[in-house]
Amino acid sequence: MSAVFPTVREVLALDPVRHGAPRLVAGDAGLDRPVRWVHVAEVPDIATLLGGGELVLTTGIGLPADDGGLRAFIDDLADVGVSGLVVELGRRYVSGVPRVMVTAAQRRGLPLVELRRATPFVRITEAVHALIVDAQLHELRATEEIHQRFTELSVEGAGPAEVVRQAAELAGCPVVLENLSRQVLAYDPAGESAELLLDGWEEHSRRIRPAGRTAYDADSGWLVTTVGARGQDWGRLLLRWPGGGDLGSGDTRPAGTPPTRLTILVERAASTLALGRLIRRDAEGLERQLHRTLLTALLDHSRPVDEVALRAKALGVTLDRRHLVGVVVRHRLDEPVADGVPAGESGLWVDAAPETGPARLRDLAEAVGQALREAKLTALTSAVDDQAVGALLALPDAAAEERALTAFATALRRIRLDTAPSRPVTARVAGVRGEAGEGREPARRADGSRSAGVTSDPGTGRPDAVVVAAGSGVGSLREARRSLIEARQIADAARRDRRDLPIFRLPHVGLAGLLHLLRDEPRVQTFVERELGALLSHDARHPRDQLLGTLRAYLDQGRNKSAAAAAAHLSRPAFYERLARIGRILDVDLDSVEACLSLHVALLALDAIRTP
């Protein structure tokens, strides 16, 4: 029943009820039951006309005279689910209701109230019904505000952090956005302790298992909805409702049902998050937009390849009967740094860049386009995501591949160095400060604007270093998607590589690198859950009996049990017993090479997911 209805306790506090000098004689455990309606009745078989949730008012003049009849009357009301029974004294019962009614109501947990002073029932019904209507009106207004707020967020293209913040503000409750592997993507504690909210989150989240796409888990006190669009789910949005029994909070209140507006809120927030993931906003020229449209069409199969080839030819890029190579260029660091802020994992500090975000990506796209022109290469090129620029090179034959890639990488490096702003960049590494650059003016673009600021690459020390990655060359446009995706995967994996290679190819990145770049892919997260979910759930339920480390030691030692036991600092009998339990939990044969290979890949993927 919706939480917009008042409870029996709230009804008893109304002035018309208090005028009757109410006294609760039984069923105090049911005082928090919601009152859906008020019904006046003077006949013993009224239960057949009720639907549950009513507060029944009576003078008792029509109630049975015998004890058995009174017990049956109370049982019938309790069976149909009424919220409570209010008996006015003076007409049938003078000093109090019969003891048998009190006993029966207490046994069934049904609130039984005496009104010791005559009170017009109509005043009670008017007051309660007005309270219900006001609460429902408030709920409608709150729902309207929710729809308006999230519609505005969708139009503005708000990011996940802002959507989660607004959801927490509207709900007044903590909100967490996680991916399919229970890793937190965004959160807002709504004024509570963020440390307590996120402490042991993965284990806590795995215990939250509501039934349905949007449902409330009463045991944990979390309202949960799935986030995704176009049939591809990629996360969960969780809202902790204080009316539930949150684990570890010491809350002893009985679990109820969240207000309808909170269910609407989390579903609208989830829809906004899903829509935001689909939207890509960028200020581009018409030609750049067409390039991006065609590259996107190749990546997601949204247009027939014949149409893509025709439209590309109209742009001056011939793709038919060409050797095609996918290339992706991205910065080694995901975000440009700000004044006095450390640049990610590199530990480098630099002064504020004049331009960040979209301007930085636009600079990179312009540099890639200029490098293609200088190398005299024909290609479709555009940004492929918020951090990378892609290009599909159209070469006369396979023999020209290495020569073309080398020319492109050389031209790009020269352009990046030539256009890098060379005002003093102050770097501080491990507490040591120094000057990295001379005092020249930043280079300007053709339109007169200054190029974006630079960072120092953790591996090479070069200004604003980028990764150039190339996929395998293909002989037809129908295979171009594979080359582009491979290039993007290589670029993402190589951004943490310390080597200063002019071009990264697939042999340069290993399995761990590929899994790291695929860590946000829902299918990889689903694979991890399928392979290791049961074991992770076991470890979440038994924090003192962790088995994942045992499995890791076994696989890292090439399934050599003796060596694995030594690495895990366990006796061999104890190690063997733990392996047997792991096999039972995962329902796998740990002597099977194929099964262990799958588990080892899942462990590597789990490490990639847990590593920022």
Side-chain angles (χ1 to χ4, degrees), residues 576-597:
Y576 296 164
E577 187 275 333
R578 291 171 70 86
L579 277 184
R581 274 195 290 150
I582 292 171
R584 291 193 298 269
I585 292 171
L586 297 179
D587 192 24
V588 298
D589 179 10
L590 292 179
D591 290 327
S592 167
V593 175
E594 183 177 354
C596 288
L597 175 61

Side-chain angles (χ1 to χ4, degrees), residues 367-382:
V368 169
Q370 184 177 344
L372 289 171
R373 289 190 294 272
E374 288 192 8
K376 296 180 173 55
L377 297 175
T378 301
L380 286 176
T381 179
S382 79

